[in-house]
Amino acid sequence: MEALYLIKLGEIHLKEGNRKDFIATLKFDIKKRLSGIPNSITTRDGRYYLTIDEAQAHNAEYILSRTPGINGWARALKAEKNIEAIAAIALLAMRPKVAAGAASFKVESRRADKGFPLDSYAISREIGGRILQAFPQLRVDVHNPQTVLNVEVREKAYVYTDGEKGVRGLPVGSAGKGLLLLSGGIDSPVAGFMMASRGLALEAIHYTSYPYTSKEAWQKVRDLAGVLSRYTGTITLHTVSFTEVQLAIKKDAPADCATLYLRAAMMIAAQALAEKRRLSCLVSGESLSQVASQTAENMRFTQSYTNFPVLRPLVGTDKEDTVLTARMIGSYEISILPFEDCCVLFSAKHPILKADFEKERRAFDSLGLVPLINTALESVESLEIPFRFNC
């Protein structure tokens, strides 16, 4: 037995001239996530259908809920184009809703095939009447129904109830590829998710300061990358040992500038890796004035050490909203584990809030950190984290 899913696209439909490229990217992404599982994706009259073995239905639903570019999806039933066949599958679709306690419903119909003898209103009226006969405990509510039964008459008739929401946005890879600065905190995984939903494929860079940071802290970041891979597909995590860089900053830089200078050094390293990997931008979880290094003056200073675009999707986002997104994507419980990263361990009690741009540029440059940064990059460790159904 096969399961059929109707896939609804949103923003992709607005792309007009290059819509085919976006659709091809989305189909490729879904196929890649379903690698090894027989399936078929077809397109008809602006609708997209996934057919898969019933035994793999739970995997299909997992993927459809986490693939950027999909506005929504629904498990659908297919029938021949006659009212008796449509009514039969409509009753079949409504039965589990009634069993779950639904008390009201409405029918919404769409007649794409204008040769069908009944128009959309007549289809809804006919099917609604059959449902009321079969389930007298139900009532029609066209304004606030507990269940909506959808009927679409195309080359076949398709029936589905309600539907599930998707990630929306654009397919991963349709907007290029960037490098995410991934820490163990709440913000950076959310930033990665947000940019993936705008079509940006991702790799990630993480900085460690072993033995000052623990192996558990790195595992935490690896697990966060695993959460991201549910939405991005396979993601490569690059780990850079920054111990010597941080010790040099701690030794020679003013204490109140240590975090600021560390962020600048991270930007230098991130750009070098992004250039090597032929990526097009950097992604950061910074939010304006959330911490000292994220004031406008301080971000200007740290960004001056890269000529890549630095995308900050959380820059104007309230922390509570970020936490809600972290909970939604499944990263929050990992992010709050008590294993601190290098930024936290080497932070100052009273960090500088508003960097004097020219002054701090001269001071940072005088530290001569570039050779240490280059040495750190020579021993970068890269781990490919594939998409899995449960990370």
Side-chain angles (χ1 to χ4, degrees):
M1 182 178 176
E2 290 184 327
L4 174 67
Y5 293 92
L6 185 150
I7 302 171
K8 298 181 179 181
L9 310 185
E11 190 173 347
I12 289 177
H13 283 305
L14 304 177
K15 297 305 177 183
E16 295 185 0
N18 53 359
R19 184 184 303 149
K20 289 182 179 179
D21 294 335
F22 283 90
I23 291 172
T25 300
L26 177 60
K27 290 176 69 173
F28 176 81
D29 194 15
I30 296 172
K31 285 282 190 180
K32 190 173 181 180
R33 295 171 192 235
L34 284 169
S35 179
I37 301 175
N39 65 87
S40 172
I41 299 177
T42 56
T43 304
R44 301 189 195 95
D45 301 323
R47 284 288 190 259
Y48 306 87
Y49 303 93
L50 169 66
T51 304
I52 195 167
D53 188 90
E54 177 66 36
Q56 298 293 338
H58 60 293
N59 286 334
E61 294 173 10
Y62 185 95
I63 287 171
L64 294 175
S65 296
R66 293 165 176 81
T67 301
I70 296 175
N71 259 35
W73 56 272
R75 178 77 180 261
L77 298 173
K78 183 168 65 172
E80 295 299 322
K81 287 191 295 185
N82 63 74
I83 202 65
E84 295 300 327
I86 296 171
I89 62 170
L91 297 181
L92 190 62
M94 284 297 297
R95 192 163 287 120
K97 295 294 184 179
V98 174
S104 63
F105 78 103
K106 75 172 179 178
V107 179
E108 292 187 350
S109 301
R110 181 175 180 179
R111 186 186 62 158
D113 178 3
K114 302 306 180 185
F116 192 74
L118 300 179
D119 63 17
S120 296
Y121 176 77
I123 295 170
S124 295
R125 183 182 59 195
E126 182 68 27
I127 299 302
R130 303 286 185 101
I131 291 172
L132 287 173
Q133 288 178 355
F135 306 107
Q137 68 270 43
L138 288 177
R139 59 183 174 83
V140 174
D141 184 344
V142 297
H143 299 295
N144 190 31
Q146 292 180 349
T147 294
V148 178
L149 182 87
N150 297 273
V151 178
E152 296 190 8
V153 179
R154 299 179 179 277
E155 85 295 343
K156 297 284 186 179
Y158 297 90
V159 174
Y160 56 96
T161 56
D162 302 320
E164 302 293 334
K165 291 183 179 180
V167 175
R168 300 183 299 179
L170 298 172
V172 173
S174 62
K177 195 170 189 180
L179 183 64
L180 171 67
L181 280 72
L182 182 62
S183 72
I186 295 170
D187 298 335
S188 57
V190 173
F193 163 76
M194 292 178 69
M195 294 315 306
S197 69
R198 296 305 308 153
L200 188 70
L202 292 173
E203 296 187 11
I205 184 170
H206 176 68
Y207 302 94
T208 63
S209 291
Y210 187 79
Y212 301 97
T213 53
S214 64
K215 292 182 179 179
E216 289 83 0
W218 178 86
Q219 182 61 46
K220 174 182 173 181
V221 172
R222 184 258 172 259
D223 292 343
L224 289 172
V227 170
L228 277 177
S229 74
R230 302 172 189 172
Y231 301 91
T232 65
T234 298
I235 187 170
T236 301
L237 174 63
H238 306 281
T239 302
V240 181
S241 175
F242 242 41
T243 306
E244 297 304 318
V245 175
Q246 286 197 263
L247 290 176
I249 292 172
K250 185 175 180 63
K251 175 177 177 290
D252 296 327
D256 62 346
C257 294
T259 300
L260 186 66
Y261 291 0
L262 174 60
R263 293 289 302 180
M266 288 178 173
M267 286 292 185
I268 294 171
Q271 168 155 326
L273 182 61
E275 288 175 341
K276 181 179 180 181
R277 301 288 294 182
R278 297 185 178 180
L279 309 180
S280 57
C281 62
L282 307 180
V283 179
S284 168
E286 292 166 297
S287 178
L288 185 62
S289 297
Q290 182 169 262
V291 295
S293 65
Q294 297 174 17
T295 62
E297 294 84 355
N298 288 355
M299 285 194 286
R300 179 195 176 199
F301 169 78
T302 55
Q303 184 165 335
S304 71
Y305 284 93
T306 175
N307 57 25
F308 273 39
V310 180
L311 307 182
R312 298 180 174 95
L314 304 182
V315 71
T317 304
D318 182 84
K319 187 69 173 185
E320 291 184 11
D321 291 334
T322 302
V323 168
L324 286 174
T325 304
R327 290 184 184 278
M328 184 270 291
I329 66 175
S331 61
Y332 179 76
E333 296 300 329
I334 300 172
S335 291
I336 62 173
L337 292 173
F339 305 115
E340 296 179 330
D341 61 25
C342 59
C343 291
V344 176
L345 290 173
F346 285 80
S347 60
K349 288 184 178 180
H350 303 288
I352 187 172
L353 294 176
K354 296 183 178 182
D356 181 316
F357 185 76
E358 297 299 339
K359 174 186 174 184
E360 301 308 338
R361 285 275 307 192
R362 289 193 298 271
F364 177 83
D365 293 345
S366 70
L367 297 178
L369 296 175
V370 172
L372 290 176
I373 294 171
N374 291 337
T375 299
L377 288 169
E378 288 173 2
S379 57
V380 62
E381 296 181 0
S382 300
L383 175 66
E384 189 174 271
I385 300 173
F387 168 84
R388 293 191 180 95
F389 292 108
N390 289 294
C391 295

